Amino acid sequence: MTPGDEAGRRRGFVARLRTRRSVPRGRLQRRVFAGARLVLALALVGGLYAGLTPHASAEDTPTLSGAAAEGKALYDRSCISCHGENAQGVPGRGPSLLGLGSAAVEFQVTTGRMPLTMQGAQAERKPPVFTDDQARMLGAYIQALGGGPQLPPGNDLHSQGDIAQGGDLFRVNCAACHAFGTGGGALSSGKSAPSLGEATDRQMYAAMLTGPQNMPVFGDNQLSPQEKEDIIAYVQNLKSDQDPGGFGLGKLGPVPEALVIFLVGIVFLVVVSLWIAGKS
Amino acid sequence: MRRRKIDVAALPGAAATQVDDRLTLATPLRKAFNKVFPDHWSFLLGEIALYSFIVLLLTGTFLAFFFDPSMQDVQYNGSFTPLRGVQMSQAYSSSLHLSFDVRGGLFLRQMHHWAALLFMAAIIVHMLRVFFTGAFRKPRELNWIVGILLFWMGFLEGFCGYSLPDDALSGTGLRIASAIVLSIPLVGSWVATSLFGGEFPGDVILDRLYITHVLLVPGAILALITVHLALLVKQMHTQWPGPGRTNRNVIGVRMFPGFAVKTTGFFMMVFATIALLAGVFQINPIWLFGPYRPAVVSAASQPDWYVMFLDGSTRLMPAWEIRFHLAGHAYMIPAVFWPTVVLPGLLTVLPLLYPFLEARFTKDRQHHHLLQRPRDVPLRTGLGAMAVTFYLVLFVSGGNDVIADKFNISLNAMTWAGRIGLLILPPLAYYLAYRISLGLQQHDREVLAHGIETGIIKRAPDGRFYEVHQPLGPVDEHGHSALEYQGWSVPKKMNRVGALVPAIRGFFFPVERAPERELPEAPISPAPDRQEISSH
């Protein structure tokens, strides 16, 4: 077909439409035809809509377990303003929680980081708003929504661990940020690795599993569950261990030692020398 | 036969005579015993360093009985549970054994470490005293130089000791040291491979550090201390200006018994302070750092305080690399070269030359045995304040990650504050110290001319108020005294010129009885008899 043919055919079609009827239709006939066209158009649009939109019965209505349902109630009261309906996130306020899993929720909520007081370099640990049970309910709800990593049951995740092995792993994987004495350390631009002083077994496990904030994720293929428990065992041992050498100065290395030698050692001996030289 | 009577009281004298008959010690000893030491608290600061060094020798000898610098791989089976079964070097294992399984071992190791920190701190404080009072001036320039060498020897000794336990902290420090050596242009890699016997860490470095730490450097320090003290004895101690004190005499207490008793007491106090620190404050918990592995670098890995300023300079240095081609070879000078090799080089050479530079600029070729108050030499005081501020900025920056973390400051902000502060604060400190010195000088002169402010306000018949001043000497018709400033403190309070009853002496409790005396009348004019005012 040449373009000329196509143009001719189109002209023919348009011309046919525009051709005046030789005999005009009657008034009633026009109305009947208009009504029929309207019904046809509505039926077409309605049919298309019905055909193209998902059927009402295909909508997902998850049947939440008891805990998750209670979690949803808590969520809708306290979390929804930033994380949005169905935990899909609100741009500029809070990220989507789908796929995060209960471990992340439990970590963030039981350490008091969530609910967040304000946006900043990072969320700080503070007294938790929810009880542990409520945190688990919230976790169950998020777990039900999108799945994700979960913590093993129980509050004791350290007594099966090997302390010496955990120490080796801690020094290689954790000490670079959390410091040798678990006191925490600075990261760039106001961020920091927190002290592990108050961290519970489940919180440490969850942190390794989910990598909150600036922390890398140590998934089960990087640190096996047993290795995680080894590390927790080492940290809890370190925290329960009394400093054999006296006051530990926060286990912060040579910086506080420098303060002590001047503020205690030199100041004390200068007072002594004032005393001795003054007795002449 | 009559039994010979032994006179016990005469025994020491008789024994001394016997000794003197053979060794003729009396004459030199009399001279030594009569040596006079001027008395001022600031002259005791150097002694803190001397006595810390003695403590270092004593505790270090004890540690050497148990420490083994071998880098051989062993499995730890001592009593510290969290490290049981861990592979580590023999050096680290023996350090742990020393800390946990030797009675008193941890305490003596902590004493050794605290004594090392105190040794270096006392050297610095002593050096500041010598600098700000002008004690380094002719003829004592050589002793100033010996002092600076002592500081750097102590620095080296401390670093070797810090590296010996072979925990992750010492290994990190050693790794940095090897990087610093490597950064030296042309010779760096040769020097580093010679030191470490190949690539870092190799298996000989601890043996080498050990013999350096226990023999070579302590020997050098001992020799330098001997020279330092011999020069002190030969050149006499400096003294503050004051009544009867001139450039030609020394006023103070004799070596024996006065000074000997004091200095022995001071030694006991230094020893006690170190023991107290060791017993109360835990230092360098090597068991927490674990054995050294190249992959293990903990947060808050800092050197001991006297090296921290170099850590700070490294942290503040921008990452500027210099790359160039020379004779067909490509060279690179890394950024770490400037803050860790060039800067300490300057910090060694400038103080070494300072006495000569100052003499050259002030054209002062005289011998000086009298000290200067810092306020009387504003230029030197300003320069000193500038140097101290420069050092402090570097020192604080050396711990900036710990400070940033504990005080919730951004680490980047700390670094930039250090960079800007390093350039701005020293000139500011110079200016402030200079102005404060001049102000203090002026106040001294003012008090000499006008007298001490008594705090008594009088009102003249014309309604004018004025404060009564107590002149310090005879006054002319204007009420001014023509007193020369003598380079020593001017009394500025009435109780320094006897307005109050002299205080009873004694530091903790009175060591003398208050003399019976009539108290003078309070210098207040008697109030006129009051008459009742009545409105008739």
Side-chain angles (χ1 to χ4, degrees):
Chain A
M1 202 193 287
T2 62
D5 288 342
E6 196 186 8
R9 190 180 60 84
R10 196 181 293 157
R11 192 156 57 237
F13 176 70
V14 173
R16 244 192 349 263
L17 278 179
R18 288 196 176 158
T19 309
R20 284 263 164 128
R21 262 173 214 288
S22 49
V23 181
R25 282 186 182 128
R27 189 184 169 91
L28 180 71
Q29 196 182 9
R30 281 211 305 278
R31 287 213 172 158
V32 169
F33 269 105
R37 279 207 298 276
L38 185 66
V39 169
L40 192 70
L42 282 175
L44 184 70
V45 171
L48 271 175
Y49 178 78
L52 292 179
T53 51
H55 199 263
S57 68
E59 202 172 40
D60 185 30
T61 47
T63 46
L64 293 172
S65 66
E70 287 183 61
K72 178 171 165 49
L74 290 170
Y75 180 92
D76 288 347
R77 269 209 307 279
S78 302
C79 320
I80 198 164
S81 57
C82 295
H83 291 293
E85 215 173 336
N86 295 321
Q88 283 157 334
V90 177
R93 276 202 236 159
S96 162
L97 305 181
L98 297 175
L100 245 63
S102 62
V105 177
E106 210 177 298
F107 174 84
Q108 301 283 357
V109 174
T110 58
T111 60
R113 288 183 166 81
M114 294 290 149
L116 196 60
T117 318
M118 58 174 188
Q119 302 274 359
Q122 73 182 47
E124 297 294 331
R125 188 186 186 101
K126 56 183 186 292
V129 173
F130 297 103
T131 63
D132 285 0
D133 285 339
Q134 288 173 321
R136 284 182 206 193
M137 291 170 194
L138 279 168
Y141 173 56
I142 298 300
Q143 187 72 30
L145 283 184
Q150 284 173 288
L151 290 181
N155 283 327
D156 172 18
L157 296 175
H158 70 270
S159 50
Q160 300 302 313
D162 175 350
I163 294 174
Q165 171 72 12
D168 254 357
L169 291 166
F170 179 85
R171 288 186 291 269
V172 172
N173 293 294
C174 318
C177 299
H178 291 288
F180 61 94
T182 71
L187 303 174
S188 60
S189 302
K191 298 169 208 151
S192 64
S195 159
L196 304 181
E198 295 171 59
T200 63
D201 289 0
R202 285 180 75 82
Q203 287 166 357
M204 280 188 265
Y205 198 106
M208 285 187 268
L209 197 61
T210 63
Q213 310 195 69
N214 299 294
M215 183 164 161
V217 174
F218 295 93
D220 283 349
N221 48 352
Q222 279 129 339
L223 288 174
S224 70
Q226 180 57 45
E227 287 173 329
K228 287 193 179 76
E229 295 199 12
D230 294 344
I231 290 178
I232 293 170
Y234 175 74
V235 173
Q236 298 295 23
N237 175 273
L238 208 62
K239 278 154 57 176
S240 67
D241 196 24
Q242 291 225 320
D243 288 318
F247 174 44
L249 300 172
K251 293 179 190 163
L252 293 171
V255 173
E257 293 163 8
L259 281 181
V260 167
I261 198 62
F262 280 96
L263 295 184
V264 180
I266 288 290
V267 165
F268 182 71
L269 285 171
V270 163
V271 171
V272 168
S273 61
L274 278 165
W275 174 46
I276 288 188
K279 288 182 77 75
S280 56
Chain B
M1 210 167 89
R2 239 177 90 217
R3 179 166 289 185
R4 214 152 154 208
K5 196 176 166 194
I6 296 175
D7 185 1
V8 179
L11 263 184
T17 310
Q18 294 293 323
V19 172
D20 190 48
D21 279 349
R22 288 160 180 82
L23 302 175
T24 57
L25 282 173
T27 312
L29 267 186
R30 176 174 295 131
K31 209 177 158 197
F33 280 1
N34 283 339
K35 182 139 191 71
V36 172
F37 287 87
D39 218 8
H40 190 261
W41 68 270
S42 66
F43 300 161
L44 296 176
L45 298 174
E47 286 182 28
I48 302 177
L50 178 66
Y51 298 141
S52 321
F53 185 67
I54 294 176
V55 175
L56 281 168
L57 290 181
L58 294 174
T59 51
T61 307
F62 177 86
L63 300 184
F65 289 142
F66 302 99
F67 177 72
D68 174 5
S70 158
M71 291 176 91
Q72 197 192 352
D73 211 31
V74 296
Q75 195 180 44
Y76 178 71
N77 284 312
S79 58
F80 185 65
T81 328
L83 286 172
R84 279 178 77 97
V86 173
Q87 292 294 122
M88 60 180 64
S89 68
Q90 173 62 24
Y92 185 49
S93 173
S94 68
S95 305
L96 291 172
H97 173 73
L98 164 67
S99 301
F100 291 114
D101 298 313
V102 174
R103 191 177 298 272
L106 179 59
F107 176 67
L108 281 160
R109 193 174 70 75
Q110 298 204 140
M111 259 187 97
H112 192 70
H113 206 141
W114 281 120
L117 297 195
L118 187 64
F119 177 65
M120 296 303 287
I123 286 181
I124 289 285
V125 177
H126 172 61
M127 199 169 108
L128 290 178
R129 196 280 293 174
V130 168
F131 180 83
F132 282 110
T133 60
F136 58 82
R137 288 174 301 164
K138 189 175 175 183
R140 295 183 180 77
E141 302 99 326
L142 183 60
N143 229 9
W144 168 258
I145 290 173
V146 171
I148 290 180
L149 294 181
L150 268 170
F151 171 81
W152 285 110
M153 280 295 143
F155 183 96
L156 182 63
E157 176 74 347
F159 183 76
C160 292
Y162 173 90
S163 305
L164 282 178
D166 202 28
D167 59 327
L169 186 64
S170 11
T172 305
L174 212 47
R175 173 82 261 197
I176 295 170
S178 91
I180 291 170
V181 174
L182 280 171
S183 80
I184 302 172
L186 300 176
V187 295
S189 41
W190 303 97
V191 177
T193 39
S194 315
L195 277 178
F196 290 90
E199 270 298 317
F200 175 87
D203 51 9
V204 293
I205 185 66
L206 283 190
D207 290 312
R208 290 177 180 183
L209 286 174
Y210 184 66
I211 200 67
T212 312
H213 183 75
V214 302
L215 179 72
L216 300 179
V217 182
I221 290 179
L222 261 181
L224 285 169
I225 287 179
T226 312
V227 174
H228 205 63
L229 294 183
L231 280 172
L232 167 83
V233 170
K234 174 85 179 76
Q235 297 177 330
M236 313 286 186
H237 203 288
T238 50
Q239 61 181 346
W240 288 105
R245 290 173 175 171
T246 69
N247 223 355
R248 298 167 172 279
N249 65 3
V250 183
I251 293 185
V253 291
R254 289 191 190 284
M255 174 73 191
F256 196 85
F259 185 75
V261 170
K262 282 186 174 211
T263 201
T264 312
F266 198 49
F267 172 55
M268 302 288 178
M269 289 305 290
V270 173
F271 200 116
T273 307
I274 295 171
L276 191 76
L277 285 170
V280 174
F281 297 106
Q282 175 170 285
I283 187 167
N284 194 15
I286 50 168
W287 53 91
L288 295 180
F289 288 97
Y292 178 64
R293 310 219 195 292
V296 172
V297 180
S298 166
S301 285
Q302 255 91 11
D304 278 343
W305 78 262
Y306 43 89
V307 191
M308 221 177 272
F309 76 102
L310 289 184
D311 210 294
S313 64
T314 313
R315 288 167 190 227
L316 296 188
M317 181 74 192
W320 293 337
E321 284 182 0
I322 298 177
R323 294 168 182 278
F324 58 94
H325 285 268
L326 195 70
H329 296 281
Y331 290 97
M332 192 268 280
I333 302 178
V336 77
F337 174 66
W338 308 103
T340 56
V341 182
V342 174
L343 180 79
L346 283 175
L347 292 184
T348 316
V349 173
L350 274 181
L352 283 179
L353 293 180
Y354 184 81
F356 306 103
L357 292 176
E358 190 188 283
R360 190 181 173 83
F361 282 106
T362 56
K363 301 193 173 50
D364 182 357
R365 306 261 182 271
Q366 303 298 312
H367 278 236
H368 294 282
H369 301 292
L370 287 178
L371 298 172
Q372 290 172 308
R373 300 173 84 194
R375 67 184 64 178
D376 294 334
V377 202
L379 186 80
R380 184 200 296 144
T381 307
L383 286 175
M386 195 158 100
V388 168
T389 313
F390 185 82
Y391 179 86
L392 278 180
V393 172
L394 292 182
F395 179 58
V396 169
S397 298
N400 65 3
D401 62 326
V402 175
I403 297 169
D405 186 45
K406 295 306 150 204
F407 292 95
N408 282 328
I409 308 169
S410 158
L411 181 56
N412 305 42
M414 281 283 302
T415 304
W416 274 103
R419 284 172 179 168
I420 295 166
L422 192 66
L423 299 178
I424 286 180
L425 292 181
L428 201 65
Y430 174 86
Y431 177 77
L432 285 177
Y434 197 97
R435 297 311 305 182
I436 290 172
S437 300
L438 289 185
L440 290 169
Q441 268 187 36
Q442 200 175 9
H443 191 243
D444 283 349
R445 262 63 166 190
E446 189 196 310
V447 170
L448 286 172
H450 296 123
I452 302 171
E453 296 174 349
T454 57
I456 299 169
I457 309 288
K458 278 199 168 176
R459 191 182 186 192
D462 58 5
R464 196 162 49 97
F465 287 98
Y466 61 90
E467 185 175 7
V468 177
H469 282 66
Q470 168 65 52
L472 292 170
V475 293
D476 60 11
E477 65 270 24
H478 304 294
H480 290 165
S481 309
L483 293 170
E484 251 336 88
Y485 176 64
Q486 298 293 330
W488 186 232
S489 73
V490 174
K492 292 186 178 169
K493 290 210 165 62
M494 286 302 287
N495 56 356
R496 300 293 296 273
V497 291
L500 294 178
V501 183
I504 311 288
R505 294 198 307 150
F507 202 91
F508 294 116
F509 48 85
V511 293
E512 61 184 14
R513 285 176 65 104
E516 297 288 332
R517 56 176 260 184
E518 287 280 315
L519 291 184
E521 280 281 317
I524 300 171
S525 55
D529 292 337
R530 298 193 175 201
Q531 291 169 350
E532 193 181 346
I533 300 170
S534 52
S535 56
H536 282 294

